[in-house]
Amino acid sequence: MKGQADTKPIFLDLDNIRQQFPLLSRRVHDHPLIYLDNAATTQKPESVIESVDRYYREQNANVHRAAHFLSACSTHAFEAARESARHFINAPFAEEVIWTRGATEAINLVANSWGRSQLQEGDEIVLSRLEHHANIVPWQLLAEATGAIIRVIDLDESGNLDLQQYQQLLSKKTRLVAIAHISNAIGTILPVKDVIKRAHEAGALVLVDGSQAVAHQRVDVQDLNADFYVFSGHKVYGPTGIGVLYGRRELLESMPPWQGGGEMIERVSFSGTSFNTLPFKFEAGTPNIAGAIGLGKALEFVSGIDSNAMHSHEGQLRRLVEEGLTTINGIRLIGQANHKAPVVSFVSSHHHNQDMGLMLDQQGIAVRTGHHCAMPLMESLNLNGTVRASFAIYNTVTEVSAFITAMEKLHHSTVYSMDQSAESLKQYEHVAKDDAAVVGKALTQETGSLPEIFRNQAPDLEAITARLNGLSGWQERYRQIMLLGKALPVLSGQWKSDEARLHGCESSVWLHYHYDDETMQLYFIADSDARVIRGLIAIVLAVFSGKTPEDIEGEDIEQWFRDLDLFNHLSPSRGNGLKAIVKEIQAIAHRYR
């Protein structure tokens, strides 16, 4: 019995599928939720939610460790979920399925157990340029510890894997190839079966990161001939904090334990310890029992959907989005490989990625912005990040149409058009150029001569409060914040140096200061490539600039943002970026006390 061959196919009933996901019925900012962030995490069906709830309500007990009724119930459900996972990926044996916290922990387990026991100086690990950080950093740490060398497979201009270069990288020194099944950032479906075949011919093992694959296509680890295959539950309609490591039994048996504790032992004494059999050797401590049970139900949910119908539906959604976006002036699609998952990444010449994410959110549309934990890929594409819309079985053509309409509105409507005139953009540029020679002085010297660029401040706080208070909706408040950003000097040239760029901000932010030793006041200028951040910077400067170090350290910027009713509309990443700016300003003030 292979994979899900015995699962009875059903026709795709989208209405019925959507009704199984309670969160899809909620509204966001007075709009119906359109959830297009499925590559980050999927929503959960009722069957998963109920199974987790039922475990805690009716059978909560530890597994494998007692003779009482509740423990027997929990153990049965826990191991039944393992069998569901085995069946889902067509693993030969249930003991080849190791529960982990997710794909990240599964990769780290292999790196620390197999890698540290097998690799030595000069051995080579092959990765691709589009890997998620979780499939890069553990191997970098392993290479540092063992002296192994990392080789990288490049991509062509469309985002396809360069198989010719990959073949050239393989050698007798290659011990492991670790590669994604599908790129989380640009949606490329990699030819993993061919990758595995070539690696095996070179005598290397292969680990496949299947986190983005399992929700969109049937996975058969025997057909792939994978040595290791990992995935996270939350990306396949399951709970967070649970994942799977599949490994061939003979490999797992030869690997030493990674973590020590209860359950993974056979016998413990101070004269020596012997370890448990598979899979328990790698499952130290109390496992995520509820998570495993929930994941089992999620895999049953996916197995009950006809795979051809699912592939056809999700492919249609992706194509419609790509076709719609290509008609919008200023949009550029990123990643157009020959074979793609339902993931669309793009950038705009009109709006920063963060700005688009925020503007879409105000219309109830959830997308992901940033580097998507794929910084080496973004660096190779010469991008700071993209906007990513990613689709699941429950998304609809109507939602796609709404998304395209929203993107057209962002690029064509005067409501969102914040383009400054050439004169407006240049009004401060001459100041920056004229003062370029004093950049170093402004940053490092205490002088009573205030450079001209520091005299052009954003509106004072009273003016800002007057502009924002009394506005009824966030959309108008957002527009006012964008207008505030126009009051900032436009920095250029040396003012946007790497030394002046702040860390901890998703967008690029540059900050300069000047200390006037006559008035003992600090003055600040700042800029960002994201429009909404420029507006928030205007507020920050209005609070802090032109004040003494003591006054700056005593200001409560968070209270100002609460008073202006802005914190409710800041995403965690944007809020963290704002805090990074404030932290740097207050650190500068502390140095002058």
Side-chain angles (χ1 to χ4, degrees):
M1 190 178 297
K2 288 190 174 183
Q4 292 80 19
D6 60 327
T7 301
K8 184 179 180 181
I10 61 171
F11 291 105
L12 192 61
D13 185 347
L14 200 55
D15 289 337
N16 177 60
I17 289 173
R18 287 183 62 84
Q19 288 173 9
Q20 296 180 56
F21 291 83
L23 193 139
L24 296 181
S25 63
R26 74 164 298 173
R27 297 179 69 84
V28 174
H29 302 305
D30 203 32
H31 290 273
L33 170 65
I34 298 177
Y35 186 78
L36 305 181
D37 193 21
N38 296 283
T41 195
T42 52
Q43 297 305 325
K44 319 306 174 193
E46 285 280 7
S47 59
V48 171
I49 297 170
E50 290 174 357
S51 69
V52 174
D53 180 73
R54 188 182 313 113
Y55 166 76
Y56 284 118
R57 288 183 181 276
E58 299 179 7
Q59 61 188 55
N60 179 40
N62 216 327
V63 292
H64 306 136
R65 299 181 185 178
H68 60 77
F69 175 77
L70 291 180
S71 179
C73 290
S74 295
T75 300
H76 175 76
F78 183 72
E79 292 303 330
R82 194 190 306 272
E83 174 59 25
S84 293
R86 183 210 67 77
H87 189 262
F88 187 76
I89 59 174
N90 193 33
F93 309 103
E95 56 264 36
E96 295 177 317
V97 174
I98 311 298
W99 296 124
T100 65
R101 289 184 300 160
T104 298
E105 185 174 68
I107 294 169
N108 275 275
L109 191 161
V110 175
N112 282 277
S113 177
W114 178 85
R116 287 179 181 265
S117 66
Q118 296 294 319
L119 296 190
Q120 56 187 3
E121 186 173 359
D123 287 342
E124 294 183 355
I125 304 167
V126 176
L127 311 175
S128 81
R129 193 162 300 278
L130 49 63
E131 298 305 315
H132 189 283
H133 296 166
N135 203 24
I136 297 175
V137 179
W139 308 116
Q140 290 177 326
L141 295 173
L142 177 63
E144 290 177 3
T146 62
I149 299 169
I150 292 177
R151 304 295 187 191
V152 181
I153 314 168
D154 286 322
L155 311 173
D156 65 18
E157 293 181 354
S158 297
N160 297 296
L161 199 68
D162 187 338
L163 288 174
Q164 183 176 356
Q165 188 225 6
Y166 168 58
Q167 186 66 53
Q168 293 171 351
L169 288 177
L170 294 172
S171 72
K172 293 181 179 179
K173 294 181 180 180
T174 308
R175 298 296 307 282
L176 179 77
V177 176
I179 196 160
H181 201 153
I182 292 175
S183 165
N184 72 300
I186 60 175
T188 300
I189 300 176
L190 283 78
V192 291
K193 190 171 182 178
D194 187 18
V195 167
I196 292 169
K197 180 176 182 293
R198 297 185 190 211
H200 286 172
E201 289 173 351
L205 300 180
V206 181
L207 179 145
V208 180
D209 177 2
S211 298
Q212 297 295 330
V214 286
H216 304 295
Q217 62 184 61
R218 296 293 187 247
V219 172
D220 186 332
V221 294
Q222 293 189 71
D223 180 63
L224 293 175
N225 199 18
D227 301 297
F228 301 103
Y229 197 97
V230 307
F231 65 92
S232 294
H234 71 98
K235 295 181 187 292
V236 63
Y237 309 104
T240 56
I242 188 70
V244 165
L245 163 64
Y246 159 78
R248 288 194 290 111
R249 185 166 61 178
E250 59 270 28
L251 282 173
L252 294 175
E253 287 177 338
S254 69
M255 290 161 52
W258 176 34
Q259 296 176 324
E263 191 66 30
M264 52 77 64
I265 51 86
E266 181 181 73
R267 180 179 182 277
V268 176
S269 74
F270 287 110
S271 62
T273 295
S274 57
F275 303 115
N276 208 339
T277 57
L278 295 176
F280 312 114
K281 180 172 73 170
F282 295 108
E283 295 179 356
T286 298
N288 184 355
I289 304 167
I293 294 171
L295 176 54
K297 291 297 181 182
L299 301 181
E300 291 176 11
F301 165 79
V302 176
S303 297
I305 298 172
D306 182 83
S307 59
N308 291 328
M310 175 173 63
H311 184 267
S312 175
H313 172 67
E314 293 179 340
Q316 178 192 26
L317 298 180
R318 176 185 59 79
R319 289 189 296 273
L320 288 173
V321 168
E322 290 178 336
E323 291 168 2
L325 289 176
T326 54
T327 66
I328 302 174
N329 185 38
I331 292 290
R332 177 164 65 98
L333 298 179
I334 305 299
Q336 296 179 277
N338 298 332
H339 302 284
K340 284 195 64 178
V343 173
V344 180
S345 268
F346 61 93
V347 294
S348 169
S349 60
H350 296 178
H351 298 286
H352 188 275
N353 300 329
Q354 277 196 1
D355 293 330
M356 284 190 285
L358 178 63
M359 290 184 282
L360 288 168
D361 178 62
Q362 296 310 307
Q363 300 176 67
I365 302 173
V367 296
R368 181 71 44 165
T369 66
H371 53 64
H372 315 301
C373 291
M375 293 176 75
L377 172 62
M378 294 300 155
E379 182 180 13
S380 71
L381 296 170
N382 197 28
L383 295 171
N384 291 325
T386 68
V387 178
R388 184 187 69 191
S390 50
F391 307 91
I393 188 63
Y394 44 63
N395 289 123
T396 67
V397 172
T398 300
E399 289 180 323
V400 164
S401 298
F403 170 67
I404 295 300
T405 298
M407 289 302 301
E408 291 172 342
K409 183 179 179 182
L410 298 187
H411 284 73
H412 300 147
S413 171
T414 56
V415 174
Y416 295 99
S417 178
M418 299 301 300
D419 289 335
Q420 300 169 337
S421 65
E423 293 76 14
S424 175
L425 283 172
K426 291 180 179 179
Q427 64 178 325
Y428 290 110
E429 286 185 355
H430 73 280
V431 177
K433 292 175 182 177
D434 292 343
D435 281 342
V438 302
V439 170
K441 293 181 180 179
L443 290 174
T444 63
Q445 295 186 10
E446 299 178 8
T447 172
S449 176
L450 184 64
E452 182 180 352
I453 195 170
F454 286 91
R455 300 173 193 163
N456 296 288
Q457 293 300 308
D460 62 37
L461 206 51
E462 289 185 5
I464 291 176
T465 302
R467 282 175 98 172
L468 295 179
N469 282 345
L471 296 177
S472 57
W474 165 247
Q475 194 170 91
E476 183 56 33
R477 192 178 295 267
Y478 169 81
R479 181 173 176 80
Q480 290 300 320
I481 290 174
M482 299 281 270
L483 292 171
L484 286 172
K486 283 190 174 183
L488 287 175
V490 177
L491 303 182
S492 61
Q494 295 182 56
W495 295 94
K496 288 186 175 180
S497 66
D498 288 339
E499 292 77 10
R501 183 173 176 176
L502 297 186
H503 299 285
C505 304
E506 185 175 332
S507 58
S508 295
V509 174
W510 299 269
L511 176 70
H512 297 271
Y513 72 90
H514 173 78
Y515 180 73
D516 191 321
D517 60 354
E518 292 182 359
T519 64
M520 294 185 292
Q521 293 174 327
L522 275 165
Y523 294 85
F524 299 91
I525 55 171
D527 200 358
S528 174
D529 56 355
R531 296 176 181 181
V532 68
I533 297 299
R534 284 177 56 85
L536 297 174
I537 285 173
I539 301 174
V540 170
L541 296 184
V543 171
F544 290 122
S545 193
K547 294 185 177 180
T548 66
E550 292 79 7
D551 288 341
I552 290 173
E553 287 195 288
E555 284 287 358
D556 185 356
I557 188 70
E558 292 193 6
Q559 186 59 51
W560 280 111
F561 273 77
R562 280 190 289 270
D563 291 344
L564 295 172
D565 192 27
L566 296 178
F567 261 126
N568 291 336
H569 306 288
L570 293 178
S571 67
S573 61
R574 194 166 289 114
N576 290 337
L578 182 65
K579 290 176 182 177
I581 299 170
V582 173
K583 182 178 180 181
E584 181 64 19
I585 287 175
Q586 292 181 329
I588 292 168
H590 184 73
R591 294 201 294 267
Y592 282 89
R593 287 200 64 172

